[in-house]
Amino acid sequence: MQKIVTNLWFDTQAEEAAKFYTSLFEEGSIHNITYYGSSGAKVSDMPERTVLTVEFSLADQEYIAINGGPMFKFTPAISLMVNCDSQEEIDRLWEGFCEEGQPEECGWLTDKYGLSWQIVPSELNELLSNSDPVKVENVNRTMFSMKKLDIKQLRKAAME
């Protein structure tokens, strides 16, 4: 197991969410599922023998989804950024996450579980780190006008 693992708190949809996320990534898999026993059920008010945690990975990054009840919700203050190597990958992930989710600006979206994602081209940081501030401003202006990011338009803006 990796040293730092992201834990994602769900009400009761941990297994459903893990299956959804792993279906979107070629390198996604579920590794282990644990269940509430009697002591955990008493403490959490969750039914005994229901899913407690789901260990899964996406592109070699490990996560644990936990069914902890309704007291905590996701906010955009934390997001998962996916660096995509092609427009096709951006399009596929964007469509998958937005099917029941909510597209936002600048490559951000909120999935159907309320988790925020950033679907961005791998080269975005490079485009935004250009030594020419005019080119950086052009890229920013273009990016701020988009929801789903378009690599060709961002590259074009970087050349202006």
Side-chain angles (χ1 to χ4, degrees):
M1 178 172 270
Q2 66 194 31
K3 192 165 191 83
I4 299 174
V5 177
T6 300
N7 280 270
L8 303 171
W9 182 293
F10 295 87
D11 182 358
T12 59
Q13 315 93 333
E15 185 174 20
E16 176 187 324
K19 286 179 179 178
F20 174 67
Y21 298 148
T22 57
S23 76
L24 292 175
F25 290 85
E26 289 179 18
E27 299 157 1
S29 61
I30 293 175
H31 307 290
N32 190 39
I33 299 175
T34 65
Y35 300 88
Y36 276 101
S38 59
S39 59
K42 279 183 191 175
V43 172
S44 66
D45 288 329
M46 299 296 277
E48 197 171 333
R49 292 183 300 282
T50 60
V51 172
L52 170 60
T53 64
V54 181
E55 295 175 34
F56 66 102
S57 61
L58 306 173
D60 298 323
Q61 176 69 42
E62 296 176 15
Y63 298 89
I64 296 177
I66 182 170
N67 283 329
M71 62 281 284
F72 299 116
K73 304 287 184 211
F74 295 119
T75 76
I78 295 291
S79 64
L80 301 178
M81 187 169 77
V82 182
N83 289 299
C84 300
D85 293 328
S86 68
Q87 189 63 48
E88 292 77 22
E89 185 179 14
I90 290 172
D91 295 345
R92 182 180 59 76
L93 289 173
W94 187 267
E95 297 309 315
F97 280 119
C98 287
E99 189 172 314
E100 294 180 53
Q102 179 65 44
E104 306 292 341
E105 275 71 33
C106 305
W108 287 62
L109 60 88
T110 303
D111 72 23
K112 62 185 173 181
Y113 304 103
L115 183 60
S116 293
W117 296 79
Q118 298 175 58
I119 309 300
V120 302
S122 299
E123 66 195 78
L124 181 61
N125 198 37
E126 181 181 326
L127 295 173
L128 293 172
S129 299
N130 192 304
S131 61
D132 184 341
V134 173
K135 290 182 179 190
V136 170
E137 179 57 27
N138 291 341
V139 172
N140 272 317
R141 183 173 37 283
T142 301
M143 181 178 64
F144 293 146
S145 71
M146 299 176 178
K147 289 197 181 235
K148 178 176 70 172
L149 298 184
D150 182 302
I151 295 173
K152 286 181 183 177
Q153 288 184 35
L154 293 169
R155 286 178 186 153
K156 181 180 175 189
M159 301 308 289
E160 295 175 352

